[in-house]
Amino acid sequence: MTGFPIGLHKPVEHDGQLPDAADVLIIGGGVIGVMSALFLARKGQKVVLLEKGRIAGEQSSRNWGWIRQTGRDIDELPIAMEANRLWPQLQAELGEDLGLARLGVAYLAEKPQSIERYETWLNLAKPHGMDSRILTSAETKALLPGATRRYHGALHTPSDMKAEPWVAVPALARAAAAAGVVIRENCAVRALDLTAGRIGGAVTERGRIRADQVLVAGGAWSSLFLRQYGINIPQLSILAQVLATEALPALDMPAAGNDRLAFRRRTDGGFTLAEGGWHRLFIGPDAFRHLWPYREQIKAHPFGASYHPAAPKGFPDAWGTKRSWSPEEETPFERMRVLDPKPVEARQRRTLAEFAQLFPALGAPRIKASWAGMIDAMPDIVPVVDHAPIEGLSICTGMCGHGFGIGPAFGRIMADLITGGDVGHDLTRFRLSRFSDGSKMDMGPGL
């Protein structure tokens, strides 16, 4: 079993002296930060992107690699559709193979109730011109050649795609650098630099940098960073895990899955597998603090998570992680440059066995790599995409494990939001104030 391809064991790709100033400073080198940087540079902005560890070292490279419109929150769907248009354009412009393929996505129904949920979503999605449809049991069987399980049907979107996350995001970062973005890895932001109550820049471990605009796109770390400034986001980081098989015989089918098993073919001939409905929540101070906002999610999926009494040392919600610090001292972001949680091996073996039972004709699959990541979760399963109460500060975080596929569109949106352009979408659903203005919690579909 090999290690994860992105981590501190890999040399820094983006290094050099930190500039004195920028138009926009971006905190976080995941897909959201990288794509925001690229689109800002294309708008003529001088951009600096700072990453505490490695570009795409955390969840942006550790996800399933699905680029899906299927099952998206209806307010998020037009943005996912924009991302679906942007991905092929980006690959053509980059001249690098991102592993992009339009293979479709199918949600598999093991129970009739699942079909009812899919139909509810489809009725809401139809006005957007989606090519999704409900397949019969026979059509689903034809979609999955060799599958031994009979499904009641599926929600299928042929236009959905996949890409290889740990290839794609670093390649997009190189494109941003070529467009003029200054990217620095191993450079944590310790604090915002506020002047008369507005953004004046930031204090980093390598010194100060001036900027009139700052974007926080720190994934699982965003809430911890922003709390220093009275910005409280009910964000939790939850563990999800994935495994990659060795190459297997060719099998022409879409990315597909349900709560038991999710799978899609990779460019190297293997399959990326995950247990779709399982994750682990580490109990820490934030888990207690935000229990009330998450009550609807817990009621809806009470057994979809396992609970552990403490996060590993140094994780965002670990009991010993500092909640406050001065700009002159080492921060939690420097002590834990890359979140690299250990997967639960027993559940990985279970996932592998489930796939082997579903497709016995492929032979006994072998694990090539196994990993886990920390998803930045939100109570209503949609992100925060908004200006912050501090002038010059913007936030794009809480992607709930869905950020890789939709990242290019949210990057374009943030570039326009920051520069005063036309964002092209109604962002009301994603406003920061929804957690403090007395609004009723509007749960995402959770498909």
Side-chain angles (χ1 to χ4, degrees), residues 105-123:
V105 164
Y107 280 12
L108 308 173
E110 294 201 58
K111 300 177 182 178
Q113 297 92 316
S114 296
I115 295 294
E116 295 173 7
R117 291 167 54 220
Y118 299 162
E119 287 174 340
T120 298
W121 180 86
L122 188 57
N123 288 333

Side-chain angles (χ1 to χ4, degrees), residues 14-55:
H14 304 276
D15 201 1
Q17 185 175 350
L18 196 67
D20 294 329
D23 296 322
V24 184
L25 172 64
I26 298 176
I27 303 173
V31 66
I32 300 298
V34 166
M35 293 311 309
S36 298
L38 176 59
F39 282 105
L40 281 163
R42 290 180 174 181
K43 291 172 73 69
Q45 297 291 296
K46 182 180 178 181
V47 184
V48 172
L49 185 155
L50 302 181
E51 164 55 46
K52 64 183 175 57
R54 298 290 185 274
I55 291 293

Side-chain angles (χ1 to χ4, degrees), residues 118-408:
Y118 299 162
E119 287 174 340
T120 298
W121 180 86
L122 188 57
N123 288 333
L124 294 171
K126 276 181 179 177
H128 296 278
M130 286 289 298
D131 62 340
S132 307
R133 71 184 187 94
I134 305 294
L135 303 185
T136 65
S137 179
E139 289 173 323
T140 304
K141 180 176 175 60
L143 195 69
L144 304 175
T148 56
R149 187 173 296 120
R150 185 86 176 191
Y151 295 97
H152 288 272
L155 173 61
H156 181 221
T157 307
S159 62
D160 281 347
M161 296 180 285
K162 67 89 181 177
E164 302 303 335
W166 58 73
V167 174
V169 182
L172 291 164
R174 288 190 287 273
V181 176
V182 175
I183 301 176
R184 295 293 177 262
E185 296 174 295
N186 261 22
C187 186
V189 174
R190 291 178 169 179
L192 298 176
D193 193 354
L194 301 179
T195 303
R198 66 149 294 133
I199 290 293
V203 181
T204 82
E205 63 179 296
R206 299 191 193 180
R208 294 177 183 268
I209 180 169
R210 299 189 308 278
D212 291 332
Q213 298 285 337
V214 170
L215 167 61
V216 175
W221 297 94
S222 298
S223 177
L224 179 64
F225 181 85
L226 290 167
R227 191 176 299 121
Q228 306 292 304
Y229 307 98
I231 300 171
N232 294 306
I233 301 177
Q235 177 182 319
L236 298 177
S237 54
I238 59 174
L239 181 144
Q241 56 187 39
V242 187
L243 66 86
T245 73
E246 297 281 2
L248 290 166
L251 194 60
D252 183 20
M253 61 183 180
N258 53 24
D259 285 351
R260 290 175 57 160
L261 177 68
F263 52 88
R264 64 102 179 159
R265 192 155 186 102
R266 292 193 317 282
T267 304
D268 65 6
F271 278 82
T272 293
L273 310 179
E275 186 178 352
W278 181 87
H279 56 266
R280 170 165 287 176
L281 173 63
F282 297 109
I283 305 299
D286 285 344
F288 280 102
R289 182 182 295 112
H290 301 316
L291 180 62
W292 182 251
Y294 281 85
R295 67 194 184 281
E296 294 298 328
Q297 196 175 136
I298 293 170
K299 281 196 301 183
H301 304 284
F303 306 111
S306 70
Y307 301 94
H308 197 275
K313 183 179 179 181
F315 276 43
D317 199 27
W319 289 102
T321 297
K322 278 191 171 185
R323 262 61 190 172
S324 62
W325 52 85
S326 76
E328 289 73 36
E329 66 180 304
E330 186 184 49
T331 65
F333 318 114
E334 295 152 80
R335 297 191 186 102
M336 179 61 68
R337 293 195 181 271
V338 174
L339 286 172
D340 188 21
K342 293 181 179 179
V344 182
E345 292 188 9
R347 298 200 77 97
Q348 295 288 58
R349 290 194 296 270
R350 171 176 159 176
T351 298
L352 192 69
E354 182 86 14
F355 182 75
Q357 291 169 10
L358 184 60
F359 296 106
L362 293 178
R366 293 187 301 171
I367 297 178
K368 179 180 182 179
S370 177
W371 66 89
M374 301 303 293
I375 291 173
D376 46 326
M378 300 299 294
D380 48 4
I381 324 179
V382 293
V384 171
V385 184
D386 202 355
H387 292 302
I390 299 171
E391 187 178 353
L393 181 64
S394 301
I395 304 169
C396 192
T397 193
M399 291 293 144
C400 303
H402 309 154
F404 173 71
I406 207 171

Side-chain angles (χ1 to χ4, degrees), residues 40 43 213 215 384-388 393-396 410-425 427 430:
L40 281 163
K43 291 172 73 69
Q213 298 285 337
L215 167 61
V384 171
V385 184
D386 202 355
H387 292 302
L393 181 64
S394 301
I395 304 169
C396 192
F410 270 128
R412 197 280 305 162
I413 287 168
M414 292 312 301
D416 282 312
L417 186 69
I418 289 168
T419 59
D422 180 8
V423 299
H425 300 283
L427 301 181
F430 316 114

